[in-house]
Each structure stands twice: as structure tokens, then as C-alpha cells.
Amino acid sequence: MRSFTYERAASPQEAASAAARRPNAKFIAGGTNLLDLMKLEIETPAHLVDVNSLALDRIDPTPEGGLRIGALVRNTDLAADMRVRRDYGVLARALLAGASGQLRNRATTAGNLLQRTRCPYFYDTNQACNKREPGSGCSAVGGFSRQHAIVGASEACIATHPSDMAVAMRALDATVETIRPDGQTRTIPIAEFHRLPGDTPHIETVLEPGELITAVTLPKPVGGTQVYHKVRDRASYAFALISVAAIIHKDGTGRVALGGVAHKPWRVEAAETDMPRGAKSVTAGLLDGAKPTPENAFKLPLVERTFGAIIDEARG
Amino acid sequence: MHRASNLTITRRDMLIAGMTSAAAATALRRAEAEVAVSERGAAPPHAKVFFNVNGVERALELDTRTTLLDALREHLHLTGTKKGCDHGQCGACTVIVDGRRMNSCLSLAVMHEGGNITTIEGLGTPNNLHPMQAAFIRHDGYQCGYCTPGQICSAVAVLAELEANVPSHVTGNLTAAAELTHDELRERMSGNICRCGAYSNIVDAITEVAGRKV
């Protein structure tokens, strides 16, 4: 690990301005992903701004009937909150499908959104990776690509986003609240928060330097049967090959978002109008234009069948 | 981390060795050499942290890179907590911080200012075992024992999580309290890997302790 200076921030704006003031500064909250990457010298911040003592660890009701989740709410606490379990089941299920008990106790809501990919070529510093070292190329293209993206990828990067939580939040139309170094705040719809790789895969979100996530807000509950189905190589404690977050109403309408298929949580609202017609037709719209590799082409039928099973289950 | 600190030592040793070969290794010059190293920025940033470990207050000044795991093992000599993968994948380093289990390898020591840390040494002693330690012995919940401190810290916290109504991936009804089944324990303990494969005995040990509580 490279050495770094360290400070504890006292307020969100102070944290944002402290991070913006120094070149190569990073926020640290749970640290479960950042420290892993720092040990491998994939992340090499010169300065860490510890945000753990900021008062951003509450889940409060909003005037609109939704929930405002503080950036520092730990994954365990979010999944255990009775309002989330009752009204946003897809989110509780997604959180519980991720990582281990120890990691969920530390991992935060904001940090989960900012997780880096688990692409093995990103993790191996001997390999070319445009995300780790812009312009160096992509060893995953033409490499072992079983885990990689099938849709929305580019020639520069075929990595996937690893989060389960973010997929459920995409289905729930969450919004991300931030504060910038100058004290200005803004809200970003989750659909616009993560970027597709294009030719700048190292830029993963629309956050600006020093911009700090303060909360994630959920709109009022939408009801329906809420399911998160994660398909992975182990029954527990493994990243998704594919995952399906679905909200299905009694009349057959609903929403669906996918994990493990793209550089961001994947949702195509236009495809959801086909939901009463079943999984095949929705999946065709969702994964329209997919460009799988021979090694990950299995993800297309896997999405369709997993989604089909969810629909069958919801119909009882 | 080890690579970097070794580098520092090597550089300092080389300076000192160089002076020795020039037959000028006086104490004064050695001190000058150390100052020179520090002025060049080779001395890594340190920070102070104060926390409570197993009921004892500890004040440390550490290289900021020091993980909680390394602070416990290398600085406080509490070697019961083990380093397995050092990347949060195996759970051998599990300790309980402010009542919650976590991977001490994936947290910086300086992040735990004012924290309350319990390691395996704080749960029980050879003459006064924690019920979970006694149950692991009774049920042969280990073979080599390397993952055992992490397994036991995790298991103690799992029972607290069940009591606090924290659901898991295999909990059937999200709005009901989770039941204490083998499936629940297996899922909740999945962050603790046992290379010897003592899993079924570990589940038996935890079940016994949980049963006594009910």
C-alpha cells in the first residue's frame, strides 16, 4: 500500500472541500472495497478523508412518503430496517444477497454505489486495463470473459458493475443526493448516476471531484411483489453472474432491472410495457443490441429464464 | 504494506551500512542520516488513535496504512486474531467492533477512534471459556484451528444479529423474525471460510449455544 495522509472530516461540506483541495484525495467510509484495492495498489490515494463520523447514518421518512437513506447507513442496517423490509422488499433482498455479514456491517449505502468492478483484468496489475490505466487497452476483450458485460459495453471496456443494492435502487427509481466542495447540493436520478464505459471507462459516475454523496432517497412505496434473484457460482458470498430485480403487480405490469450484464445497473423502461406478455418479450427489449462474447452468451437465456421464474412465482 | 515498510528499512539500513564502510558510523552521523531520510519524505505519515481493546484503553501512533488487524497483532501483540487472505474474503480476521463483527483486515486502525474492540482474547480465557469457545471444543468445530478465532467471534455476533432481528438471504418472510435453522446459520457464517471443512460441527456448536439462550 502507498502511504497517505489522513484526516477525519467534521461536516459534509468540510469533507467535500478537503477532498477537492488535495490532488488524489479519496473519501473513506466502510473501506471494504477501497482498502482491498489500495493493498493491491490499484487505488493509490495520497490523502484519505474519513467521513465515518458525519451525521449521515439515519433513515428518515420524506414528505413525499418515501425514505431518505443517509450515505453512511450500513448495508446491514438498511436491510434490517422494518420499513425497507415491508415496503421495499427488492432492496432488502438485494442487500442481503451481497457480500458477507462482516462486510455488510461496514459497507455503506454511498460506498456500495461507488464499488469498483471485480473484472479480473482490472484486479491484475500485470494486465492491460483502460479502467485502471486509461489508454493501456483491455485484456478482457478476447480474454476470459465469462463474467463480463453483454450489453452497453465498448471496445475499451466490458466490465460489469458489481453492486446488488444499486440494481434494486434502479428498479425503485432512487435519487442520489450530493454536496459539492462549494456547498452546493444536487440530486441525481440513479438512472443517470452511473456511466456507460464508452472510451473513458475510468470515469464511472457523474460525480465531480470532491463531490460527496450525502443520501439516497426512495420515492413512496410502489407495492407489488418484489423479488431479487441473483444467479452466482456459489449459493452465498459470491458476485452475480446475472441478477434480476423485479416488481410485479397483480395486473402483470411492473418493473425490472438487471445486474451483472452491464457497466451499470441495467433497466430499459420501454421494455417494461411488455411485462404482461411475459419474460421472453421483455428480455428481448431489455437486451436489444446485446453483444455477448462466446463465453458469456449464456447470460441471455439465463436472464430470460430467471425473469420467467420470477413472473411464475409472483403469479403463484 | 509490508513491501513499503521493508523498503523504508532497507533504505535506512543502506545509509547506515554505507557510512560504516566509510568508517564514519558515529552515533551523531547515524542520527543525521535518519533526519535526512525523514526530510526526504521517506518517513510515512503517522496518526494517533485511541480505542478500547478487550476492556483496556490503548493509545497508539501508527503509520496511517496500519489495518486494525495489524494494529492488534503487530502493535498490541494480540495474535489470536488471524491474518488469512488479508482481503476480506476468508473471515479469519473477524473481530467485534462496537458490538458488530467485521473484517479487521479491511479497516484502518485510525478509523476506530473511540471504538470498543473485542477480539478472541476478550471473549474468554483458557480457564474461563466463553460458551461459544467451549461449544467449539465440545463439537470439534475445527481441525487446524487457524480460522477458529474468526469463526467464534463471527458466531457470537451472529447470535446477537438474530436476536436483533437482522434478516438474511435465506430468511423466508422478511417481516417476520428469522428462525434459527441450519440454513440460516450456514448463510450467516458464509463469510468465514474453513479450509479443513469443519462446517457441520461449527453449525452444531453454534446451534447448541443458541439453544441454551432460548
Side-chain angles (χ1 to χ4, degrees):
Chain A
M1 199 187 304
R2 305 274 179 89
S3 63
F4 54 86
T5 50
Y6 168 88
E7 72 179 289
R8 298 182 188 109
S11 75
Q13 193 191 339
E14 198 185 295
S17 59
R21 212 164 33 235
R22 302 235 195 181
N24 200 11
K26 285 229 171 246
F27 301 117
I28 188 162
T32 52
N33 189 205
L34 182 58
L35 283 168
D36 180 27
L37 294 169
M38 284 169 65
K39 288 179 182 192
L40 298 165
E41 299 194 354
I42 293 165
E43 294 273 16
T44 54
H47 185 68
L48 285 185
V49 179
D50 183 343
V51 295
N52 280 294
S53 54
L54 303 184
L56 299 174
D57 59 352
R58 289 174 53 89
I59 306 173
D60 292 314
T62 65
E64 294 77 28
L67 286 180
R68 185 171 184 274
I69 304 157
L72 289 171
V73 172
R74 310 284 159 173
N75 286 178
T76 297
D77 296 316
L78 187 54
D81 187 284
M82 203 43 89
R83 295 163 293 185
V84 174
R85 287 154 77 169
R86 188 186 60 223
D87 299 329
Y88 305 95
V90 66
L91 177 57
R93 287 291 181 201
L95 285 158
L96 296 171
S100 66
Q102 288 97 315
L103 291 168
R104 289 190 298 271
N105 279 346
R106 291 299 295 165
T108 62
T109 305
N112 193 314
L113 289 178
L114 298 175
Q115 276 187 87
R116 311 294 309 272
T117 184
R118 263 55 174 201
C119 170
Y121 299 96
F122 171 72
Y123 260 76
D124 182 349
T125 51
N126 294 308
Q127 302 283 346
C129 173
N130 288 318
K131 191 181 277 299
R132 178 165 31 76
E133 203 180 325
S136 64
C138 174
S139 293
V141 171
F144 182 72
S145 56
R146 180 170 173 267
Q147 303 171 28
H148 290 78
I150 54 172
V151 69
S154 69
E155 282 177 14
C157 181
I158 58 171
T160 56
H161 195 270
S163 171
D164 294 298
M165 183 198 81
V167 180
M169 285 182 167
R170 179 71 180 88
L172 290 166
D173 282 329
T175 51
V176 181
E177 296 180 20
T178 69
I179 186 164
R180 288 190 265 208
D182 62 4
Q184 293 243 327
T185 59
R186 64 166 169 160
T187 59
I188 306 161
I190 189 131
E192 294 161 25
F193 182 79
H194 294 103
R195 297 174 77 257
L196 286 178
D199 53 10
T200 54
H202 59 293
I203 305 171
E204 294 169 350
T205 70
V206 297
L207 291 179
E208 294 167 10
E211 190 170 6
L212 176 75
I213 298 174
T214 51
V216 176
T217 298
L218 302 177
K220 69 174 194 223
V222 294
T225 300
Q226 304 199 2
V227 181
Y228 187 79
H229 199 117
K230 180 176 180 177
V231 184
R232 45 185 162 173
D233 287 332
R234 293 192 298 260
S236 182
Y237 200 15
F239 288 96
L241 287 167
I242 64 113
S243 68
V244 180
I247 300 171
I248 299 169
H249 300 293
K250 284 211 171 88
D251 62 1
T253 62
R255 308 171 179 192
V256 57
L258 305 178
V261 299
H263 197 255
K264 58 191 272 186
W266 193 254
R267 183 175 170 200
V268 178
E269 278 86 341
E272 292 168 3
T273 52
D274 273 351
M275 274 191 59
R277 295 174 57 197
K280 194 178 177 71
S281 143
V282 178
T283 307
L286 253 175
L287 297 178
D288 186 33
K291 286 184 189 149
T293 69
E295 287 183 348
N296 67 22
F298 72 91
K299 289 189 176 187
L300 282 110
L302 189 56
V303 166
E304 186 186 315
R305 288 171 196 166
T306 306
F307 185 37
I310 290 173
I311 292 176
D312 288 347
E313 194 184 308
R315 282 179 185 152
Chain B
M1 181 182 295
H2 285 144
R3 215 187 322 161
S5 61
N6 286 343
L7 197 67
T8 311
I9 291 162
T10 306
R11 196 179 293 152
R12 184 174 150 220
D13 289 349
M14 274 174 64
L15 275 169
I16 293 166
M19 293 189 323
T20 310
S21 65
T26 62
L28 178 67
R29 288 207 183 172
R30 194 174 297 128
E32 279 172 355
E34 284 183 9
V35 170
V37 167
S38 145
E39 278 172 359
R40 281 207 316 270
H46 280 55
K48 288 179 180 166
V49 65
F50 179 84
F51 47 50
N52 186 304
V53 184
N54 300 331
V56 181
E57 310 220 304
R58 303 282 199 166
L60 295 170
E61 185 164 356
L62 300 167
D63 183 323
T64 52
R65 293 171 290 186
T66 312
T67 59
L68 179 58
L69 172 62
D70 286 339
L72 292 170
R73 288 182 55 84
E74 309 297 331
H75 295 265
L76 300 176
H77 309 295
L78 293 166
T79 52
T81 307
K82 300 298 186 236
K83 183 180 281 193
C85 69
D86 209 22
H87 284 276
Q89 296 169 4
C90 76
C93 69
T94 302
V95 298
I96 301 171
V97 179
D98 301 327
R100 302 183 142 206
R101 57 181 170 148
M102 56 174 279
N103 302 112
S104 60
C105 75
L106 283 189
S107 202
L108 296 171
V110 292
M111 288 162 64
H112 295 284
E113 179 71 14
N116 276 297
I117 298 149
T118 303
T119 69
I120 190 71
E121 292 94 340
L123 282 181
T125 62
N127 296 323
N128 186 21
L129 294 176
H130 185 281
M132 193 65 79
Q133 291 173 309
F136 266 64
I137 293 170
R138 216 164 19 250
H139 289 275
D140 265 342
Y142 52 83
Q143 283 181 41
C144 80
Y146 195 80
C147 71
T148 311
Q151 298 276 2
I152 290 176
C153 284
S154 203
V156 168
V158 160
L159 295 189
E161 286 165 16
L162 275 163
E163 209 155 301
N165 194 12
V166 174
S168 89
H169 174 60
V170 300
T171 306
N173 179 354
L174 270 184
T175 53
E179 288 168 34
L180 195 128
T181 62
H182 279 204
D183 279 352
E184 281 282 1
L185 291 180
R186 284 199 180 93
E187 163 60 25
R188 288 166 193 265
M189 291 294 291
S190 72
N192 291 85
I193 311 297
C194 171
R195 182 63 185 80
C196 303
Y199 297 113
S200 59
N201 293 357
I202 290 171
V203 170
D204 288 346
I206 303 172
T207 305
E208 184 197 299
V209 177
R212 244 188 286 138
K213 267 189 178 173
V214 172

